Amino acid sequence: MSFLAPLLEVQDLDLSADSARTRSAKLPEREATPLLEAKLVEIESLLAAASAERALKQTEEEQIGDEVTQIARDIEAAEVERYSGKRKNQDEAAAHSESQARLHEKQTSLEERELELLEELEAVESRIEVQESARAANRAESEKVAQTISKVEGEVSAELGRFSDAREKIVSCVPTNVLTAYERVRAQAQKGGRGAAMLAEGRCSACRIKLPSLEKTRMLAEPEEALIQCPQCRRVLVR
Ligand SMILES: [Zn+2]
């Protein structure tokens, strides 16, 4: 086994950790969360508007109900008065009939408005019902999404713990300067998280460049713990 072979094992663990972290970060549920939250805000605002509308209509309906009751009482009181035995002249009788007719007219028109209001209230109620069931569905979906995210985060965190333990055990076999060079290259963009590569048959296994034979001979002559890097991609080469 090559002296620097543990570096490739470290790299495998680092790559596994990278993909575990990516799996968590790229969960489709993470995109669903803000959409569900925005939708919930919209539902809540529709519900608030509909509830306010319902309260106004209920108040109006109660007021009209009271007015209708009062008018019915007035009509009845006037009838009692009319037939109470007190004699009325013709003018008084005519004024009584006219006043009663006006009251009946007003009563009818208030009752019509009351019916309209009841229909409007029914429509508002059904809008409220629709939004309430949308809110319940939204909450159930949000909960499901949160559970999925938390489950994956738990799995990823356990995986990362295992990778980190395994890395701890082998990383001490790698010379510090080699590890530092590996970390530096690995952190660079477009390196795919790979800071090390095999040197096999005179090629860098990462960028596939064929080393000039003089360079290759020089590298192979270096002590096995020496840091050698690909002249093209700078990855640490493991012989
Ligand atoms: Zn290379």
Side-chain angles (χ1 to χ4, degrees):
M1 193 172 84
S2 140
F3 185 80
L4 287 184
L7 180 63
L8 292 176
E9 284 178 50
V10 166
Q11 172 157 277
D12 284 345
L13 289 165
D14 287 343
L15 290 171
S16 300
D18 288 348
S19 65
R21 275 188 288 262
T22 303
R23 181 181 159 225
S24 172
K26 295 266 168 74
L27 258 192
E29 279 79 2
R30 292 201 191 276
E31 279 176 35
T33 305
L35 297 178
L36 283 165
E37 280 168 357
K39 185 70 193 160
L40 185 60
V41 169
E42 191 190 320
I43 292 170
E44 295 283 14
S45 111
L46 287 172
L47 262 176
S51 301
E53 196 182 327
R54 175 173 62 185
L56 278 178
K57 288 193 192 298
Q58 277 168 341
T59 307
E60 193 187 347
E61 202 261 327
E62 279 162 24
Q63 281 166 352
I64 289 177
D66 291 347
E67 265 184 82
V68 168
T69 309
Q70 188 54 49
I71 287 172
R73 280 200 203 112
D74 291 348
I75 290 172
E76 205 191 322
E79 285 305 297
V80 170
E81 157 83 12
R82 171 77 178 83
Y83 297 104
S84 63
K86 265 204 238 162
R87 210 170 265 200
K88 299 267 192 282
N89 65 32
Q90 224 176 347
D91 283 352
E92 280 171 338
H96 166 82
S97 303
E98 204 183 304
S99 155
Q100 291 294 74
R102 270 203 307 275
L103 285 174
H104 277 293
E105 206 177 294
K106 194 166 180 207
Q107 189 181 32
T108 309
S109 104
L110 283 173
E111 281 169 350
E112 278 169 7
R113 177 63 192 139
E114 210 178 4
L115 279 178
E116 266 174 31
L117 269 172
L118 288 174
E119 276 174 26
E120 288 168 15
L121 266 170
E122 208 174 302
V124 175
E125 291 287 359
S126 79
R127 266 161 50 208
I128 288 177
E129 223 169 273
V130 167
Q131 293 308 326
E132 276 174 345
S133 71
R135 181 171 62 184
N138 180 290
R139 284 179 177 161
E141 180 67 13
S142 295
E143 200 173 312
K144 214 174 90 190
V145 163
Q147 277 171 356
T148 305
I149 291 176
S150 139
K151 179 172 168 273
V152 172
E153 280 176 350
E155 288 166 3
V156 165
S157 153
E159 278 173 36
L160 290 177
R162 285 197 297 276
F163 297 146
S164 160
D165 289 349
R167 190 187 199 272
E168 196 89 3
K169 288 194 187 101
I170 48 174
V171 80
S172 53
C173 308
V174 182
T176 311
N177 64 327
V178 170
L179 193 66
T180 306
Y182 158 80
E183 302 276 15
R184 194 166 50 232
V185 178
R186 173 174 146 74
Q188 288 166 6
Q190 282 145 15
K191 290 287 197 287
R194 291 168 186 273
M198 292 279 288
L199 173 61
E201 290 161 10
R203 284 182 191 277
C204 163
S205 68
C207 69
R208 308 300 301 159
I209 193 183
K210 190 164 171 51
L211 300 179
S213 57
L214 203 67
E215 182 81 357
K216 186 181 145 196
T217 310
R218 186 190 65 77
M219 283 180 175
L220 293 178
E222 293 270 359
E224 57 180 352
E225 73 278 13
L227 167 63
I228 56 170
Q229 287 177 277
C230 169
Q232 178 164 274
C233 71
R234 303 304 298 155
R235 285 188 177 86
V236 175
L237 292 175
V238 176
R239 285 164 282 174

